[in-house]
Short mmCIF file of all heavy atoms in Angstrom, two decimals:
data_model
loop_
_atom_site.label_atom_id
_atom_site.label_comp_id
_atom_site.label_asym_id
_atom_site.label_seq_id
_atom_site.Cartn_x
_atom_site.Cartn_y
_atom_site.Cartn_z
N GLN A 40 0.73 2.07 -0.97
CA GLN A 40 1.54 3.28 -1.06
C GLN A 40 1.03 4.33 -0.07
O GLN A 40 -0.14 4.40 0.26
CB GLN A 40 1.48 3.83 -2.49
CG GLN A 40 1.91 2.82 -3.55
CD GLN A 40 3.33 2.37 -3.35
OE1 GLN A 40 4.19 3.19 -3.07
NE2 GLN A 40 3.58 1.10 -3.51
N GLN A 41 1.96 5.18 0.34
CA GLN A 41 1.63 6.18 1.36
C GLN A 41 1.29 7.55 0.79
O GLN A 41 0.83 8.42 1.50
CB GLN A 41 2.81 6.31 2.34
CG GLN A 41 3.13 5.00 3.07
CD GLN A 41 1.96 4.47 3.85
OE1 GLN A 41 1.30 5.22 4.58
NE2 GLN A 41 1.66 3.18 3.71
N ASP A 42 1.55 7.75 -0.53
CA ASP A 42 1.33 9.10 -1.06
C ASP A 42 -0.08 9.30 -1.62
O ASP A 42 -0.42 10.37 -2.08
CB ASP A 42 2.36 9.41 -2.16
CG ASP A 42 2.30 8.41 -3.31
OD1 ASP A 42 1.40 7.54 -3.29
OD2 ASP A 42 3.15 8.51 -4.21
N GLY A 43 -0.89 8.23 -1.59
CA GLY A 43 -2.27 8.37 -1.99
C GLY A 43 -2.52 8.23 -3.47
O GLY A 43 -3.66 8.22 -3.93
N THR A 44 -1.46 8.10 -4.28
CA THR A 44 -1.64 8.02 -5.73
C THR A 44 -1.95 6.61 -6.21
O THR A 44 -2.43 6.43 -7.31
CB THR A 44 -0.37 8.52 -6.45
OG1 THR A 44 0.73 7.69 -6.05
CG2 THR A 44 -0.09 9.96 -6.10
N TYR A 45 -1.64 5.63 -5.41
CA TYR A 45 -1.79 4.24 -5.86
C TYR A 45 -2.39 3.41 -4.73
O TYR A 45 -1.86 2.39 -4.34
CB TYR A 45 -0.43 3.69 -6.27
CG TYR A 45 -0.49 2.37 -7.00
CD1 TYR A 45 -1.23 2.24 -8.16
CD2 TYR A 45 0.21 1.27 -6.54
CE1 TYR A 45 -1.28 1.04 -8.85
CE2 TYR A 45 0.18 0.06 -7.22
CZ TYR A 45 -0.57 -0.04 -8.38
OH TYR A 45 -0.61 -1.24 -9.05
N ARG A 46 -3.49 3.89 -4.23
CA ARG A 46 -4.08 3.26 -3.05
C ARG A 46 -5.43 2.67 -3.40
O ARG A 46 -6.28 3.32 -4.01
CB ARG A 46 -4.23 4.29 -1.92
CG ARG A 46 -4.79 3.71 -0.63
CD ARG A 46 -4.72 4.74 0.48
NE ARG A 46 -3.35 5.13 0.74
CZ ARG A 46 -3.01 6.20 1.44
NH1 ARG A 46 -3.94 7.01 1.91
NH2 ARG A 46 -1.73 6.47 1.67
N TYR A 47 -5.62 1.43 -3.00
CA TYR A 47 -6.90 0.75 -3.22
C TYR A 47 -8.02 1.50 -2.51
O TYR A 47 -7.89 1.90 -1.36
CB TYR A 47 -6.79 -0.68 -2.68
CG TYR A 47 -8.11 -1.37 -2.47
CD1 TYR A 47 -9.04 -1.49 -3.50
CD2 TYR A 47 -8.43 -1.92 -1.24
CE1 TYR A 47 -10.24 -2.13 -3.32
CE2 TYR A 47 -9.63 -2.58 -1.03
CZ TYR A 47 -10.53 -2.68 -2.08
OH TYR A 47 -11.73 -3.31 -1.89
N THR A 48 -9.12 1.69 -3.20
CA THR A 48 -10.28 2.31 -2.60
C THR A 48 -11.54 1.72 -3.19
O THR A 48 -11.58 1.40 -4.39
CB THR A 48 -10.28 3.84 -2.80
OG1 THR A 48 -11.51 4.37 -2.29
CG2 THR A 48 -10.16 4.19 -4.27
N MET A 49 -12.56 1.57 -2.39
CA MET A 49 -13.84 1.08 -2.90
C MET A 49 -14.61 2.18 -3.61
O MET A 49 -15.58 1.93 -4.30
CB MET A 49 -14.69 0.50 -1.76
CG MET A 49 -14.17 -0.81 -1.19
SD MET A 49 -14.08 -2.15 -2.42
CE MET A 49 -15.82 -2.41 -2.77
N GLU A 50 -14.17 3.41 -3.45
CA GLU A 50 -14.88 4.55 -4.03
C GLU A 50 -14.23 4.96 -5.35
O GLU A 50 -13.03 5.20 -5.43
CB GLU A 50 -14.86 5.73 -3.06
CG GLU A 50 -15.43 5.40 -1.67
CD GLU A 50 -16.88 4.97 -1.72
OE1 GLU A 50 -17.62 5.49 -2.59
OE2 GLU A 50 -17.27 4.11 -0.92
N ALA A 51 -15.03 5.05 -6.39
CA ALA A 51 -14.52 5.49 -7.69
C ALA A 51 -14.27 7.00 -7.68
O ALA A 51 -15.04 7.76 -7.07
CB ALA A 51 -15.50 5.14 -8.80
N PRO A 52 -13.21 7.48 -8.35
CA PRO A 52 -12.85 8.90 -8.32
C PRO A 52 -13.62 9.73 -9.34
O PRO A 52 -13.06 10.60 -10.00
CB PRO A 52 -11.35 8.87 -8.64
CG PRO A 52 -11.23 7.71 -9.56
CD PRO A 52 -12.22 6.69 -9.07
N VAL A 53 -14.91 9.46 -9.50
CA VAL A 53 -15.74 10.23 -10.43
C VAL A 53 -17.06 10.57 -9.75
O VAL A 53 -17.54 9.83 -8.90
CB VAL A 53 -16.01 9.44 -11.73
CG1 VAL A 53 -14.75 9.30 -12.56
CG2 VAL A 53 -16.60 8.06 -11.43
N SER A 54 -17.63 11.69 -10.14
CA SER A 54 -18.89 12.13 -9.52
C SER A 54 -20.09 11.91 -10.44
O SER A 54 -21.24 12.05 -10.00
CB SER A 54 -18.80 13.62 -9.15
OG SER A 54 -18.47 14.40 -10.28
N THR A 55 -19.84 11.58 -11.69
CA THR A 55 -20.93 11.29 -12.63
C THR A 55 -20.65 9.95 -13.30
O THR A 55 -19.48 9.54 -13.41
CB THR A 55 -21.05 12.38 -13.70
OG1 THR A 55 -19.81 12.48 -14.41
CG2 THR A 55 -21.40 13.72 -13.07
#
Side-chain angles (χ1 to χ4, degrees):
Q40 304 299 318
Q41 299 302 313
D42 59 5
T44 60
Y45 192 57
R46 182 172 298 165
Y47 163 55
T48 174
M49 289 300 293
E50 304 299 327
V53 290
S54 56
T55 58

